[in-house]
Amino acid sequence: MDEQITGKRFLAVTVLNVLITVVEIIGGLVSGSLALLSDAFHNLGDSFSIVLGYFAQSIANKPETSKRTYGYRRAEILAAMVNASFLVIVAVFLIIEAVKRLQQPAHINGEIMLIVAVIGLVANLLSAILLHSGSHSNLNVKATYLHVLSDALSSFAVIIGGVILTFVNVPWLDPVLTIAVAIYISYEAWPVIKQTITILMESAPKLDYQGIEHDLVQIDGVTAVHHVHAWMIDEKRIIFSAHLNCHDMRLSEVEKIYSQVDKILREKYGICHATIQAEYHRGKDEDFFDTVVDEEHLIK
């Protein structure tokens, strides 16, 4: 998404969340609804998360420096992990409070609960629409999008509860709805947490490594590939490094091989940056992945 448009959308979503929080806190206190109060504090946390997400996105656009040679793109990954982790913490808190409410049921004013929940649903859906387009291509925006989407589902659940409680006194319904929403929040947040941990741990991205090895050794002059490493800067940028065993040739001929390697890795495998080291016999007997660490080469 365009940075300026994204900034305006983040601001709009933040304002909406703050307004929802104020309305739901008042409505929750007046109606006695735990689900409504929980949703209010959830929205309050979302406001913080949305602001965090916007600043992380701004930081990520800063250029590379001598201290950050890959730039600041991991800022968005860190923000996504914080946002998703916060969702899980909120979900646990909601479940604990809901269990307490099940043990000590309280009277709920269904009409007030219903009205406030409808207002919350409309605002949350509007927020989700504003962030939807960027949620597919940006993990940080996706985490924020999941926040407001889970709020929308929470508001929808509260609406159902409000309708029922308006006509029937069901003391256990409000906490049960709270638990259901909390479970959904955790379910949606976990994949984001898992993916951010994978990126921060520099786990290997899902690539066809056998295909890469096959394609590279098909290049005229390349005899073997070894010492391969692959990792991700963020959810879209894959970094790759490898050593190529080549025929004894001029440096100008090696550069032609580099160009072919870059084209294959970029166009076929989606790798945005590759560092290739050409060698003659050195390392020819090494594995494709270098699984043995030579302690003498470690930087102490």
Side-chain angles (χ1 to χ4, degrees):
M1 280 191 297
D2 180 81
E3 183 180 357
Q4 185 177 2
I5 294 176
T6 302
K8 291 180 179 178
R9 290 182 179 182
F10 268 116
L11 177 61
V13 172
T14 302
V15 172
L16 281 171
N17 269 267
V18 171
L19 291 175
I20 297 169
T21 299
V22 173
V23 172
E24 288 189 333
I25 286 177
I26 296 173
L29 291 173
V30 174
S31 67
S33 170
L34 174 63
L36 206 53
L37 281 174
S38 299
D39 197 34
F41 286 108
H42 187 192
N43 274 294
L44 182 63
D46 285 353
S47 299
F48 168 75
S49 298
I50 292 166
V51 173
L52 177 64
Y54 173 67
F55 280 112
Q57 189 177 63
S58 300
I59 293 171
N61 291 324
K62 295 174 65 176
E64 294 84 355
T65 66
S66 59
K67 292 184 178 180
R68 300 285 186 273
T69 57
Y70 280 116
Y72 293 80
R73 299 191 182 281
R74 285 277 173 89
E76 288 191 294
I77 304 302
L78 288 169
M81 185 174 69
V82 171
N83 283 345
S85 299
F86 181 79
L87 279 174
V88 174
I89 293 172
V90 168
V92 172
F93 172 77
L94 295 181
I95 292 174
I96 292 173
E97 292 302 312
V99 171
K100 292 179 180 179
R101 181 61 68 88
L102 280 172
Q103 296 171 346
Q104 296 179 340
H107 174 71
I108 309 297
N109 188 316
E111 293 182 358
I112 296 177
M113 179 180 173
L114 177 61
I115 294 172
V116 175
V118 169
I119 295 173
L121 176 63
V122 172
N124 281 315
L125 288 176
L126 181 57
S127 298
I129 291 172
L130 289 171
L131 295 173
H132 177 72
S133 60
S135 65
H136 301 294
S137 59
N138 186 294
L139 197 60
N140 178 44
V141 177
K142 181 179 181 179
T144 307
Y145 171 73
L146 287 176
H147 272 276
V148 297
L149 192 62
S150 64
D151 280 338
L153 181 67
S154 177
S155 296
F156 183 72
V158 176
I159 288 174
I160 295 175
V163 171
I164 296 175
L165 290 172
T166 299
F167 301 100
V168 184
N169 183 24
V170 187
W172 53 262
L173 181 59
D174 184 63
V176 167
L177 286 173
T178 302
I179 292 173
V181 171
I183 292 174
Y184 171 77
I185 291 172
S186 300
Y187 175 79
E188 289 295 321
W190 174 244
V192 176
I193 295 174
K194 184 178 179 181
Q195 189 174 359
T196 55
I197 291 175
T198 296
I199 293 173
L200 292 172
M201 289 296 294
E202 298 192 346
S203 302
K206 293 182 180 180
L207 293 171
D208 181 5
Y209 293 102
Q210 289 185 339
I212 290 175
E213 183 178 17
H214 175 268
D215 289 342
L216 296 187
V217 297
Q218 295 302 309
I219 298 174
D220 187 26
V222 177
T223 59
V225 184
H226 65 277
H227 209 110
V228 169
H229 295 278
W231 65 99
M232 302 181 73
I233 295 299
D234 56 25
E235 75 274 19
K236 295 178 290 185
R237 293 169 177 82
I238 299 175
I239 309 298
F240 182 91
S241 68
H243 292 201
L244 301 183
N245 289 110
C246 303
H247 296 315
D248 195 4
M249 62 180 68
R250 291 176 145 193
L251 184 59
S252 58
E253 295 174 320
V254 174
E255 287 185 351
K256 294 178 182 178
I257 291 178
Y258 285 168
S259 297
Q260 294 179 66
V261 171
D262 284 338
K263 184 177 181 181
I264 290 172
L265 295 177
R266 183 178 63 256
E267 296 181 359
K268 188 172 182 179
Y269 298 99
I271 294 170
C272 70
H273 180 79
T275 301
I276 307 299
Q277 179 175 316
E279 299 173 332
Y280 182 38
H281 282 304
R282 183 172 178 265
K284 194 167 187 176
D285 295 329
E286 290 184 12
D287 295 330
F288 185 73
F289 294 108
D290 183 27
T291 57
V292 179
V293 178
D294 185 351
E295 293 184 359
E296 294 181 1
H297 289 83
L298 289 174
I299 299 176
K300 298 181 179 180

